[in-house]
Amino acid sequence: MNESETRWLTADEQKIWRSFMQAFKDFNAHLDRQLRRDSGMPVAYYEILVILSESSDHSLRMGELAELVRSSRSRLSHAVAALEKAGYVSRCPADGDRRGAVARLTAEGMSALEEAAPGHVTEVRERLFDPLTPEQVRALGEIAEAVATGMRPVCEKALAEDAEEAVAVTEV
């Protein structure tokens, strides 16, 4: 795409975009600080524990977990290794697949999650939902869903490309 085809943001769109990005970064940084302070884990580790807690048997294949947390496999492997060291997650080979691995939430990991959740939920409620009117909360939900729906095909394409690259690397 050349510059003449670029649909530049209007001044209002630019202001909204920057405001959105700043709010998102500040919010995420605040949640990360709160979880580190109160529970000794970053928000990324908390998210992994939540996803495992909501899955059947509290376990998922590493590739599926990477997709759900929108992380590269190597970054996820690093995070799971840290959670394993803390005793929150265990890894074992996937049934019938020597190369695959499964991450499983341990009882200690579930306890850590149950301890961390009240403070985390309080911060989400106080910093995101309480400042908004009920109408704004509904609008935020609609906006988030519209953006997620628009991103879904792009993310699915990227995941397919990543999977193809991973296969190509293992075949070399």
Side-chain angles (χ1 to χ4, degrees), residues 15 26 44 57 93 97 113 128 135 150 152 158:
K15 183 179 176 189
D26 289 349
D57 298 331
D97 184 358
L113 181 60
L128 179 63
E135 294 78 21
R152 202 163 289 124

Side-chain angles (χ1 to χ4, degrees), residues 32-48:
D32 191 66
R33 279 190 305 276
Q34 178 271 319
L35 279 165
R36 285 177 188 273
R37 180 191 68 230
D38 297 348
S39 304
M41 73 177 84
V43 72
Y45 293 7
Y46 180 85
E47 182 181 9
I48 292 168

Side-chain angles (χ1 to χ4, degrees), residues 30-47 49-50 82-83 86-88 108-123:
H30 175 74
L31 292 178
D32 191 66
R33 279 190 305 276
Q34 178 271 319
L35 279 165
R36 285 177 188 273
R37 180 191 68 230
D38 297 348
S39 304
M41 73 177 84
V43 72
Y45 293 7
Y46 180 85
E47 182 181 9
L49 297 180
V50 167
L83 289 167
Y88 296 166
E108 190 176 343
M110 182 60 95
S111 292
L113 181 60
E114 288 169 346
E115 268 186 49
H120 177 71
V121 170
T122 296
E123 290 302 316

